[in-house]
Amino acid sequence: MQSLFGASLSALPDIDGDGLDELVVGATDISGAYIFKGSQLRAGGSYSHERAFTKIELPFDPENPNPHIGFSTTSLGDLDGDGRGELAVGAPGWAPSERGSVALFRGSDLADGGVMAVTSADVMVLGDVPTADVGRSITSPGDLDGDGFDDLLVGSYRLAAGEITSEDDQVAFFSGRGLLAESVDVWLSSADSIIRGAPQVGGAFGKSLAGLGDVDGDGRDDFAIAAPRPAPPRPAPPEDQQHG
């Protein structure tokens, strides 16, 4: 059985106090996200998921056979003021009906090591509709709203063709200030704001996301959203309109 170990990678700010950042590795086919301490990596050698310091997994559930935990991962900076960064883990296959989810963990919880069930996350962002595939892409683009906390972007795009267009695709913005204020599950539609794709078939708007830092010098960080599937060519205007 393939594990797809390395399906996603992200750095996690130091959670164990040794002055070294950690590494998070997603392995979607075994549905897990695995944290390796910086001190482990400094020692060299080769590592499998079994040697991870902290393992985020889901015990087998016949109603949720492969949620694709670890499809995407991103660190969030210190949202709760304890000096440790937080972690978000995407699981776009999350049941029912592949609505998808993003699990948020406090760095202080991850620092204890061992195996953690993804369902023990402090907050779960859940898809509202079937096949929403929430969590295929996530990133922390920095502080977009200027409140002093890193924020979270969550992509939700569908892979189906036909009548599904990029208007169904969206990127949700969650402000970091209130993200861990209450340990409750939240729906994607409750995001602070939502950016929707253009009306084209299969654009995959939100397939990848990136923070850019402060590009325009306004004191707030900026970001980019990819829609890698090209739009169909525009039809030529009627002949009587081509010549004015």
Side-chain angles (χ1 to χ4, degrees), residues 74 138-144 150-151 153 195 208-226:
T74 190
I138 55 177
T139 195
S140 177
D143 181 13
L144 300 183
D150 287 349
D151 303 313
L153 296 177
I195 306 168
S208 58
L209 309 167
L212 299 174
D214 182 10
V215 173
D216 55 6
D218 66 353
R220 297 186 180 183
D221 292 327
D222 305 304
F223 61 94
I225 301 173

Side-chain angles (χ1 to χ4, degrees), residues 50-239:
E50 295 175 345
R51 295 184 62 187
F53 173 69
T54 303
K55 305 172 184 178
I56 300 171
E57 299 174 329
L58 178 69
F60 180 72
D61 179 353
E63 296 183 0
N64 202 1
N66 194 356
H68 297 298
I69 298 166
F71 194 98
S72 57
T73 56
T74 190
S75 62
L76 288 166
D78 181 14
L79 300 184
D80 57 5
D82 67 354
R84 294 171 174 171
E86 329 303 353
L87 177 68
V89 178
W94 193 262
S97 304
E98 296 185 356
R99 294 172 185 260
S101 70
V102 176
L104 277 67
F105 295 88
R106 298 178 190 269
S108 55
D109 295 333
L110 301 173
D112 293 333
V115 179
M116 299 181 64
V118 70
T119 50
S120 69
D122 290 278
V123 174
M124 295 279 282
V125 178
L126 302 171
D128 301 77
V129 297
T131 68
D133 290 344
V134 168
R136 282 191 170 272
S137 60
I138 55 177
T139 195
S140 177
D143 181 13
L144 300 183
D145 54 6
D147 64 0
F149 294 86
D150 287 349
D151 303 313
L152 176 67
L153 296 177
V154 178
S156 168
Y157 68 92
R158 304 188 189 187
L159 297 180
E163 73 280 2
I164 295 178
T165 75
S166 281
E167 289 178 293
D168 297 297
D169 301 338
Q170 55 192 355
V171 174
F173 162 75
F174 291 90
S175 175
R177 175 178 289 275
L179 204 51
L180 291 177
E182 298 182 15
S183 295
V184 296
D185 294 345
V186 297
W187 296 107
L188 190 75
S189 59
S190 68
D192 293 281
S193 62
I194 292 178
I195 306 168
R196 298 190 183 278
Q200 68 187 53
V201 174
F205 178 80
K207 188 176 189 299
S208 58
L209 309 167
L212 299 174
D214 182 10
V215 173
D216 55 6
D218 66 353
R220 297 186 180 183
D221 292 327
D222 305 304
F223 61 94
I225 301 173
R229 296 180 181 176
R234 294 183 179 181
E239 187 174 347

